[in-house]
Each structure stands twice: as C-alpha cells, then as structure tokens.
Amino acid sequence: MRHLKFAPSWLRFLIIFLLAMGILFRFFNLDGKVYWHDETYTSLRISGYTINEAKQRLFNNLVIGGESFAQFQGVNPEKSLNDTIMTLAKEDSYHPPLYYIIARLWMEIFGNSVTAIRSLSACISLLVFPCVYWLCRELFNVPLSVPGVAIALMAISPIHLVYAQEAQEYILWLVTILLSSSSLLRAMRLELQDKHEPVKQRKRPDLFAIWSIYAITLAISFYTFIWSGFVAVAHGIYVIVTAKFQLTATVRTYLLASLVGFLAFMPWVTVVIGDFFQFLISSDKTETQQNLLPIFPFLLMQLSRIFFDIDLSLNNPFNYLIIPILLVLVGYSITFLCLTTNYKVWFFVITLIVVPALPLILLSPGSIQPFTEAYFIPSYLGIQVAVAYLFATQIYNGSVLRRSIWHVIMALVIICGLISSRVSSQAETWWNKGMSYGNPQVAQIINQATRPLLISDALGNNYGNVFSLSYLLEPKVRFLLVNNQKIPQIPDVFVDVFLLNPSNAWRETIEKKYRLKTDIVYSDNYYSVWKLIKYPKLRQRNISPNNKLSASL
C-alpha cells in the first residue's frame, strides 16, 4: 500500500471542505425537527421522574397547559443524578446509564432546551472523525488517503447526520465502537510486532497498558448501549479466526481483557438480566403500536441512506433506481477489499458488518421493527470503511480513463451526501421520527383553532406523542389528559376539541355522553386525531337531517 501513503493536494482540500460542511450541518437548525416520542423519553429519564410519576401528575382528568410538561423534560430541583440512574434501572434497564449521566450534567450547564440536549449529540459526533482516522490507520497503515476519505464520507453521510442531531445515545455508541475496535487492532498489531522484532532492536511496548485501553473502551461501549455485546462477539470471532483457532498468547490476553471489560459491566448486568429476553424481542419503551416493515426492502433502504437520503418512503419508485446503484457500489467495494487486502483487514470489516446485524435479521422473521435502524450502526461503519478504501485506491491510480471514471463516481456520492444533508437540515420531520413523524402536521391543525383543547389517554404511544406535541403547540392550546380511558369532563369554554388517538370504544362513549359526532382530521400508520362536532338544533321539525349544518364546539 505504498502508493496510498500520501494523498494529492486536491484530495486534502476536498477532505477539509467536506469535513467543514459536515460540522456545519451537524449544528445547523438543531431545534428545527420535531422532538419526537423517543427523545421525550430521554428527557424524562434525565429528569429523574418515572413514567408513573409523570402520569399521576399529568393524566388526572384536569385541564393543563403546555408548561406543565417542562418539569418532566429535563433537569429540575426535585430530582438528582441518582434519580436518573434509578429510573433507568427500574423502567428502562436495557438502556445503560452512561449517555443519560453525561446528558444530565450537560443540561445542568446549558439548560433543558431542545437545542441544548441535541447539541450534546452534535458535539459527540465530532469525536467520530479522529476515531475513524485511528481505525483506518490501524487497518490500512496509511497516514491520510483511506482515513481521509473515510472522514469525508462520514462527515456528509445522511445516516450519521440523523444520529448527530438526535437526543439519544446512538452517536456516542458509534464513537465507542470506533474506540474499542481501534484499540483492539492496535493491541494485536503491537503484540505481533513485539514478537517478530529482534531482541536487540526490540522496543517493548507496554502491552498491559495497551490491552487495558481495550478493556476500558469495551466497558464504556457496554455502558452506552447494550447491543455492544454483539460488537464484542465480532471482535472475539476476529481474534480467534486470525489466530487460526489456537490459544495463542494474543488470544489469552484478549480473553482476559474482554473478561475485565465485561466484569466492569456486571453491576448493570445484574439490573438488566431480568429484562434481557424482553429486550431481544422489542426495545421500545412502552407497549406501543408498531408497524412491521418487510426486512429486505428495509435493509436495502437503510443501505441507500448511508449515502443518499431525502426522506423517501419505502415504496417510492425512485428507490428502484437509486438502491440498485448503491447496492452495486457497496458490493463491489466489499469484493475489492477482500481481493486486494490481507485477510486480517477484510475479515475485520466483514465481521463488523455481519455479526451485529445477524441477530436482528434472524430474530425478525420476514419483517422488522422500524426503530431498529440504529442497531445497524456497526454495519453502516463497516460499509463506509470499505467504500472509502475503494475510492482511495482508485481515484488517483491506474489509467487516465479509470481514474476519471472513479472521480465521477466519487463526485456523485459526495453530491448525494451534500444534497441529503441540505434537505434534511431544512425539514421539520424525518423518517427516523417514527410514530411522531406526523406531529408537525397535527400541531398545525390544532394551532389554527380558536380555543383548542387536546384530549388523550396514556395508552400505547399516546403518552410520548402528547409530550412531543407539547413542544409544537402554541400556549393557547390546553390539554385534558385522562388515565385508564375515563370519560373526560370537557369545559364549555373550549371552541375546538380534539381527541388524540382514541380507541373506538372510548371515542364512541364520548360521543354518546356529549351527544356529539367525531370527524377524523389526521391519520397515519401510527395514530389518528379526531375533532368533536355538534349539530345545531333544528328550527323546524320538517327539516331533513341531510340539511343539518355542522359547527365546531
């Protein structure tokens, strides 16, 4: 790989430009997109309140304003950092506490706003760039070409921009994956180097310190996201296979370091063990109504979103054009990597792509939950490393025609990434907002009303969506939240009354009690919004019911 050691000047300037654009997009319009269902749960955990405590104070059949939600959406004087950890242990144990601890400390400094909490993820995402540089240096042993191209691709990758602007732990998980993987490769390389150097020339590295770094980064990864266990399995498979299934000194040291990392995570394992099997089925925070997606179209869509994403639906015809092209690019990149590098290089990338994704595919017979897209982050990383290697080896080597072709291909990938980032930065909602995707549209409908009242219960995804809507609705909007689908006591002062995702039985009961009719004003795959309508009394007995005029309450 000597021809890869130094990148030409134009490539260096391109890398710097794309890195600058990626940083700009990460911090632009942080509060522009809907603060969705799962993010409101993040803020609830940070606040230190449990779901039951929030329900008791808010879902009590009383009219409240949007300001009532603030207490449960960030740092408050009633709860401490210990309460944050305890609520995770009690109600959300499959989400380890590291990110939430950092987020609470961050919000104590910068406040509880959407911009403040999302800026934490944006800042953490900046650590991805030096970490991916380190990983590529350890894999390919070149100072700039492959690592630089990898940094450029990840800077403008739409999939990474999504997690860099979301109040969840996934971008921190990516950083820990990079750190643990890089430290593992470095420890193995230095140990091998130490064995092969002559005794007189040997500068013995501190292998204990090197393997300790791996154990620490592995433990940090565990405390960030529990799916790190499968990344650790990928590391184990890589170490054992490259050692040719022999119990070498490297394998023994790796097993010891991994054991230390796992033992450091044992305090939380004792908390999560009771919920682990439930976690394998679903990591959703409540019993929500989820729509299953066909697994292979979903995977192809996620693959395309690594490089191009303008929030297309799964059934959009344009996908039939863009997905095959990107699938060929990724397939060729992985094949080229396998044919032109040492097996220790390509096998690491393959295990990183396949092993963490395989349980998701095997546990999802024919369909998959849409919220699991973040679980494929190790696979996204491996794919991008393979594509970066392909571009770095092709754009300035070979014949003039070959270089020109690859210049065009890389330029198109870069343009797709920049267009995707530009579109995403201006959007109010995006595909990753899941069950809250339509909340901006719902908020617009309710905000247009004169004196609106929003009625809902705490069942299904209603709880999180009510919190999400509270960020979008104007101060004039009032909430009437009930528990266990009790019949609400609707005050006469409200002109427009809306029901958020009521069950048919509950909606019909309300209609009968108030002698009203309900008209649906919004509906999507996750929930619906209804408006209460009444008819004026008939002035003459012979007026036909078909001539009745409807009016808002």
Side-chain angles (χ1 to χ4, degrees):
M1 294 185 186
R2 293 179 181 176
H3 60 288
L4 291 177
K5 286 189 176 180
F6 299 101
S9 297
W10 68 266
L11 181 58
R12 297 178 190 179
F13 286 119
L14 178 63
I15 292 169
I16 294 172
F17 170 75
L18 295 178
L19 178 59
M21 293 300 295
I23 294 173
L24 176 64
F25 282 125
R26 277 161 171 74
F27 287 92
F28 180 76
N29 201 25
L30 279 173
D31 61 346
K33 288 189 181 64
V34 55
Y35 197 71
W36 74 291
H37 178 282
D38 284 16
E39 289 179 300
T40 65
Y41 273 91
T42 298
S43 293
L44 177 66
R45 300 308 177 198
I46 292 170
S47 74
Y49 285 99
T50 64
I51 296 176
N52 288 333
E53 287 175 327
K55 287 181 178 179
Q56 287 175 4
R57 297 199 188 185
L58 298 177
F59 291 78
N60 53 13
N61 206 19
L62 298 176
V63 176
I64 60 174
E67 66 279 359
S68 301
F69 297 91
Q71 182 178 4
F72 306 96
Q73 290 293 282
V75 176
N76 61 84
E78 293 186 8
K79 300 288 184 176
S80 65
L81 179 61
N82 183 63
D83 293 309
T84 296
I85 298 173
M86 292 306 297
T87 57
L88 286 166
K90 292 177 182 178
E91 296 186 341
D92 215 359
S93 60
Y94 41 80
H95 284 272
L98 180 60
Y99 168 80
Y100 298 88
I101 294 173
I102 297 173
R104 183 178 177 94
L105 298 175
W106 181 273
M107 295 177 76
E108 287 179 352
I109 299 173
F110 298 102
N112 295 334
S113 68
V114 173
T115 300
I117 182 61
R118 284 179 172 169
S119 66
L120 173 61
S121 295
C123 289
I124 292 173
S125 72
L126 301 183
L127 298 176
V128 169
F129 305 130
C131 291
V132 77
Y133 180 88
W134 184 21
L135 177 64
C136 291
R137 279 296 304 270
E138 296 298 336
L139 273 175
F140 303 105
N141 194 28
V142 288
L144 182 59
S145 53
V146 180
V149 174
I151 289 173
L153 291 180
M154 296 190 75
I156 59 171
S157 173
I159 200 77
H160 293 306
L161 179 61
V162 164
Y163 301 121
Q165 291 191 321
E166 186 156 302
Q168 294 196 86
E169 66 268 35
Y170 301 124
I171 198 68
L172 178 60
W173 184 41
L174 173 60
V175 172
T176 64
I177 293 170
L178 288 165
L179 286 173
S180 60
S181 299
S182 303
S183 58
L184 172 65
L185 292 173
R186 178 174 174 79
M188 294 178 67
R189 176 175 61 82
L190 292 180
E191 187 160 307
L192 183 64
Q193 177 181 324
D194 181 63
K195 291 179 180 178
H196 287 83
E197 284 185 355
V199 177
K200 294 182 179 180
Q201 301 178 3
R202 183 177 298 176
K203 296 181 180 179
R204 187 171 184 82
D206 190 347
L207 295 178
F208 176 80
I210 294 168
W211 281 105
S212 296
I213 293 174
Y214 174 70
I216 292 171
T217 55
L218 185 63
I220 291 173
S221 188
F222 281 137
Y223 273 104
T224 301
F225 194 51
I226 202 168
W227 208 257
S228 299
F230 292 103
V231 177
V233 171
H235 290 170
I237 293 173
Y238 173 76
V239 172
I240 293 172
V241 171
T242 53
K244 300 179 180 179
F245 299 95
Q246 297 178 359
L247 193 61
T248 63
T250 300
V251 174
R252 290 196 297 270
T253 310
Y254 160 77
L255 292 175
L256 179 61
S258 298
L259 179 61
V260 171
F262 181 74
L263 289 177
F265 186 57
M266 277 301 296
W268 196 259
V269 172
T270 59
V271 174
V272 78
I273 194 67
D275 299 329
F276 184 68
F277 293 105
Q278 181 179 356
F279 162 77
L280 291 177
I281 300 172
S282 170
S283 77
D284 194 15
K285 303 174 181 60
T286 56
E287 296 180 2
T288 59
Q289 299 171 355
Q290 290 284 354
N291 289 323
L292 296 176
L293 299 176
I295 186 166
F296 289 109
F298 170 82
L299 293 177
L300 292 175
M301 174 65 78
Q302 290 305 113
L303 183 146
S304 70
R305 285 169 174 165
I306 299 175
F307 305 100
F308 181 71
D309 178 19
I310 54 174
D311 196 25
L312 298 176
S313 65
L314 198 63
N315 299 321
N316 192 297
F318 186 70
N319 290 324
Y320 295 105
L321 173 64
I322 192 68
I323 289 178
I325 295 174
L326 293 174
L327 183 61
V328 170
L329 174 64
V330 171
Y332 183 78
S333 300
I334 295 174
T335 303
F336 183 81
L337 178 73
C338 295
L339 294 177
T340 58
T341 62
N342 185 279
Y343 80 97
K344 291 184 179 181
V345 175
W346 64 257
F347 187 67
F348 181 86
V349 176
I350 293 298
T351 54
L352 192 63
I353 295 173
V354 174
V355 175
L358 197 59
L360 292 170
I361 297 173
L362 295 179
L363 293 171
S364 305
S367 57
I368 195 167
Q369 297 282 13
F371 60 76
T372 57
E373 78 279 341
Y375 291 50
F376 291 95
I377 282 179
S379 303
Y380 305 150
L381 173 61
I383 289 171
Q384 286 176 308
V385 169
V387 173
Y389 173 77
L390 174 67
F391 284 158
T393 55
Q394 299 300 307
I395 56 177
Y396 58 96
N397 290 293
S399 64
V400 175
L401 177 61
R402 184 182 182 88
R403 292 200 305 269
S404 299
I405 293 174
W406 283 106
H407 285 161
V408 172
I409 294 174
M410 190 174 78
L412 291 175
V413 171
I414 291 172
I415 291 171
C416 285
L418 290 173
I419 291 174
S420 302
S421 299
R422 178 69 174 83
V423 174
S424 176
S425 66
Q426 299 294 322
E428 288 186 324
T429 188
W430 210 246
W431 56 266
N432 66 303
K433 302 306 179 183
M435 63 193 70
S436 302
Y437 184 89
N439 282 6
Q441 186 176 345
V442 173
Q444 183 180 10
I445 294 171
I446 298 175
N447 286 334
Q448 289 175 348
T450 305
R451 289 197 298 273
L453 175 68
L454 180 64
I455 300 175
S456 185
D457 57 24
L459 298 181
N461 58 33
N462 295 350
Y463 175 85
N465 267 336
V466 167
F467 271 82
S468 176
L469 283 169
S470 70
Y471 286 89
L472 300 174
L473 296 175
E474 297 177 358
K476 67 179 180 180
V477 180
R478 292 293 181 263
F479 299 82
L480 203 169
L481 307 176
V482 302
N483 201 6
N484 299 323
Q485 293 191 338
K486 295 181 180 178
I487 304 303
Q489 301 297 324
I490 304 176
D492 296 332
V493 297
F494 294 103
V495 177
D496 299 284
V497 179
F498 300 89
L499 302 178
L500 175 65
N501 200 32
S503 66
N504 289 333
W506 189 46
R507 179 172 55 84
E508 291 171 359
T509 303
I510 294 174
E511 287 180 341
K512 291 179 181 179
K513 176 177 180 179
Y514 291 97
R515 298 180 181 179
L516 300 171
K517 151 187 184 181
T518 54
D519 283 350
I520 191 166
V521 295
Y522 176 85
S523 178
D524 60 20
N525 292 330
Y526 295 99
Y527 71 99
S528 59
V529 178
W530 301 73
K531 185 176 182 181
L532 291 178
I533 303 293
K534 73 175 181 179
Y535 291 108
K537 295 181 180 179
L538 300 181
R539 294 183 179 180
Q540 298 179 2
R541 295 183 179 178
N542 59 353
I543 293 180
S544 171
N546 295 329
N547 294 329
K548 295 179 180 179
L549 299 175
S550 62
S552 299
L553 273 174

